[in-house]
Amino acid sequence: MDSAEFRRRGKEMVDFVADYLEGIEGRQVYPDVEPGYLRPLIPTTAPEEPDMFEDIISDVEKIIMPGAASPACTELETVMMDWLGKMLKLPEAFLAGQVGEGGGVIQGSASEATLVALLAARTKVTRRLQAASPGLTQGAIMEKLVAYSSDQAHSSVERAGLIGGVKLKAIPSDGKFAMRASALQEALERDKAEGLIPFFVVATLGTTSCCSFDNLLEVGPICNKEDMWLHIDAAYAGSSFICPEFRHLLNGVEFADSFNFNPHKWLLVNFDCSAMWVKKRTDLIGAFKLDPLYLKHNHQDSGTLHWQLPLGRRFRSLKMWFVFRMYGVKGLQAYIRKHVRLAHEFERLVQQDPRFEICTEVTLGLVCFRLKGSNRLNEELLERINSAKKIHLVPCHLRDKFVLRFAICARTVESAHVQLAWKHVAQLATSLLATPRD
């Protein structure tokens, strides 16, 4: 959709809303449709090719508006999460379908999804231990619970531990910045010997610092054997798994209890839209469900009200529906592939300059690089880059190295932008290296 069409469609949407408001008194306050009405009316999978905008708007009136107040909001979310789960080729256990025990829910952020998973895991292990030993108090259990993540995990994982009131321990990553089975097993044995109760592991696929991947095929079986909840945080990288050539990065998801990534990061869905799936939705409902009279209704167990922290919900699945239909699966795959291709283009430019080095393998759309030399030299280069305000880079530390990160993430980015960015970085590096140093 170019700017001209965007303007035209925007005006059409204003007319659509105005017409709705003008005719609102002619609409029923409460819908005639029953829960379950929506799923048979739409396909079971996302379209491969883009749909026409006119067809989508027509379907809004025919399919969505009859249940706009309720239950369309909840039901479209359930179906869209199944669409997306199928695009990722998630195991059936994570899909709601007609009779599945799992399913997906839209959270506000990956941080929120991690917290929700941790709280559900905490409730599950507490009830299991109290059932086995009725004399155990919740406080006695809580003080012994311990969760784990890689030392490369996002800070939001540590925050989830703080909010959840449990210990969180960082597992040292390997030479490729990945959590491996041996390091996790060593920590588990040490903590169990001290009387602690391991209950929750966060595996990261596509770490923030360098887009490294924890080894699910090693970590997953340990979590299953030790009866620990395994949550996968793929906030950024998850979008790429819709491409067959990147799906192997998700191998081992079958061992997980919950999985999350952010379509608002790299799948063209506007913020906020964080997709979370669980194998057993009763684990979430059991942790968060309360039944005040004002929330009771005849179909209260059919929705996703008790799968999240807030009780209020926005109609976030509607934007997923539009994006999936406007682009089609093939269009979304082409978008991901273009960004990865541009990242490798930048990588090649860095490699051609002997003054620079690539710091980690470039797997998706992130390139970690630096000037060969001291951390202070790279800090000065970053300061010059960001002060010039032509491009903006965010750094990270990889072990003892200060590293620059070049991320391909804009919808309209082209090769010319990558070339311009590298030329700018190289010129600033030349200027910096020519500056007399103490």
PDB file of all heavy atoms in Angstrom, residues 173-178 399:
ATOM      1  N   SER A 173      26.618 -18.902  29.654  1.00  0.00           N
ATOM      2  CA  SER A 173      26.448 -19.335  28.267  1.00  0.00           C
ATOM      3  C   SER A 173      27.785 -19.831  27.710  1.00  0.00           C
ATOM      4  O   SER A 173      28.851 -19.562  28.257  1.00  0.00           O
ATOM      5  CB  SER A 173      25.904 -18.192  27.419  1.00  0.00           C
ATOM      6  OG  SER A 173      26.720 -17.038  27.538  1.00  0.00           O
ATOM      7  N   ASP A 174      27.706 -20.536  26.577  1.00  0.00           N
ATOM      8  CA  ASP A 174      28.912 -21.096  25.971  1.00  0.00           C
ATOM      9  C   ASP A 174      29.585 -20.082  25.045  1.00  0.00           C
ATOM     10  O   ASP A 174      29.247 -18.894  25.042  1.00  0.00           O
ATOM     11  CB  ASP A 174      28.585 -22.400  25.230  1.00  0.00           C
ATOM     12  CG  ASP A 174      27.740 -22.177  23.976  1.00  0.00           C
ATOM     13  OD1 ASP A 174      27.440 -21.010  23.637  1.00  0.00           O
ATOM     14  OD2 ASP A 174      27.377 -23.178  23.321  1.00  0.00           O
ATOM     15  N   GLY A 175      30.515 -20.548  24.239  1.00  0.00           N
ATOM     16  CA  GLY A 175      31.266 -19.645  23.365  1.00  0.00           C
ATOM     17  C   GLY A 175      30.427 -18.966  22.309  1.00  0.00           C
ATOM     18  O   GLY A 175      30.828 -17.932  21.753  1.00  0.00           O
ATOM     19  N   LYS A 176      29.254 -19.529  22.023  1.00  0.00           N
ATOM     20  CA  LYS A 176      28.330 -18.904  21.067  1.00  0.00           C
ATOM     21  C   LYS A 176      27.192 -18.192  21.782  1.00  0.00           C
ATOM     22  O   LYS A 176      26.164 -17.892  21.190  1.00  0.00           O
ATOM     23  CB  LYS A 176      27.775 -19.963  20.107  1.00  0.00           C
ATOM     24  CG  LYS A 176      28.830 -20.536  19.165  1.00  0.00           C
ATOM     25  CD  LYS A 176      28.202 -21.455  18.138  1.00  0.00           C
ATOM     26  CE  LYS A 176      29.233 -21.939  17.131  1.00  0.00           C
ATOM     27  NZ  LYS A 176      28.626 -22.837  16.105  1.00  0.00           N
ATOM     28  N   PHE A 177      27.371 -17.935  23.081  1.00  0.00           N
ATOM     29  CA  PHE A 177      26.414 -17.190  23.905  1.00  0.00           C
ATOM     30  C   PHE A 177      25.072 -17.914  24.028  1.00  0.00           C
ATOM     31  O   PHE A 177      24.006 -17.289  24.066  1.00  0.00           O
ATOM     32  CB  PHE A 177      26.224 -15.764  23.357  1.00  0.00           C
ATOM     33  CG  PHE A 177      27.519 -15.016  23.216  1.00  0.00           C
ATOM     34  CD1 PHE A 177      28.150 -14.896  21.993  1.00  0.00           C
ATOM     35  CD2 PHE A 177      28.134 -14.461  24.333  1.00  0.00           C
ATOM     36  CE1 PHE A 177      29.358 -14.228  21.864  1.00  0.00           C
ATOM     37  CE2 PHE A 177      29.342 -13.785  24.226  1.00  0.00           C
ATOM     38  CZ  PHE A 177      29.959 -13.669  22.987  1.00  0.00           C
ATOM     39  N   ALA A 178      25.127 -19.243  24.092  1.00  0.00           N
ATOM     40  CA  ALA A 178      23.928 -20.074  24.209  1.00  0.00           C
ATOM     41  C   ALA A 178      23.940 -20.845  25.519  1.00  0.00           C
ATOM     42  O   ALA A 178      24.996 -21.257  26.007  1.00  0.00           O
ATOM     43  CB  ALA A 178      23.857 -21.059  23.040  1.00  0.00           C
ATOM     44  N   ARG A 399      30.859 -10.600  26.667  1.00  0.00           N
ATOM     45  CA  ARG A 399      31.958 -10.855  27.583  1.00  0.00           C
ATOM     46  C   ARG A 399      32.634  -9.515  27.925  1.00  0.00           C
ATOM     47  O   ARG A 399      31.982  -8.616  28.409  1.00  0.00           O
ATOM     48  CB  ARG A 399      32.956 -11.849  26.981  1.00  0.00           C
ATOM     49  CG  ARG A 399      32.341 -13.179  26.579  1.00  0.00           C
ATOM     50  CD  ARG A 399      31.879 -14.025  27.742  1.00  0.00           C
ATOM     51  NE  ARG A 399      31.464 -15.343  27.269  1.00  0.00           N
ATOM     52  CZ  ARG A 399      30.204 -15.792  27.297  1.00  0.00           C
ATOM     53  NH1 ARG A 399      29.231 -15.022  27.787  1.00  0.00           N
ATOM     54  NH2 ARG A 399      29.893 -17.001  26.859  1.00  0.00           N
TER      55      ARG A 399
END
